[in-house]
Amino acid sequence: HEHTDRYRDGSGLEDCGHLRANIVVQMDTAGRPIVAGETLQVAERDAWVFMASHQLHATATVKGQLPRIVFGFGWTVPQDFVLSASR
């Protein structure tokens, strides 16, 4: 299901953003992530970073026998945090 990862009211973090980085360990191409309506062309050992609190995201349905394994890391950042382009 498509969703954002905003902090809940009453958490004390409502004015913060949620930065997320994910690394693909194992994935069939059918189970790719979708961020802001765009299917990301990631493969095993790839990573992607996005503002999970600001951008709708989901995962395509995993079909077949190969489980999707992703390591996810999250950070609390200022609400106006902006990702800069990689160099």
Side-chain angles (χ1 to χ4, degrees):
H1 74 280
E2 194 173 49
H3 65 281
T4 61
D5 294 331
R6 293 190 178 278
Y7 290 105
R8 293 180 186 217
D9 290 339
S11 68
L13 298 171
E14 301 91 341
D15 294 331
C16 297
H18 180 186
L19 177 68
R20 175 153 298 275
N22 295 314
I23 302 169
V24 180
V25 175
Q26 177 178 282
M27 179 185 70
D28 187 286
T29 57
R32 287 190 168 132
I34 303 164
V35 177
E38 179 183 342
T39 299
L40 303 183
Q41 301 302 310
V42 295
E44 291 180 359
R45 298 183 305 275
D46 284 346
W48 69 99
V49 179
F50 66 106
M51 289 295 292
S53 55
H54 293 49
Q55 295 174 292
L56 285 172
H57 55 281
T59 300
T61 302
V62 175
K63 299 176 182 174
Q65 298 297 319
L66 187 66
R68 178 180 183 266
I69 302 172
V70 174
F71 291 150
F73 304 90
W75 295 269
T76 301
V77 296
Q79 187 71 268
D80 60 352
F81 182 84
V82 176
L83 287 170
S84 61
S86 61
R87 299 174 208 211

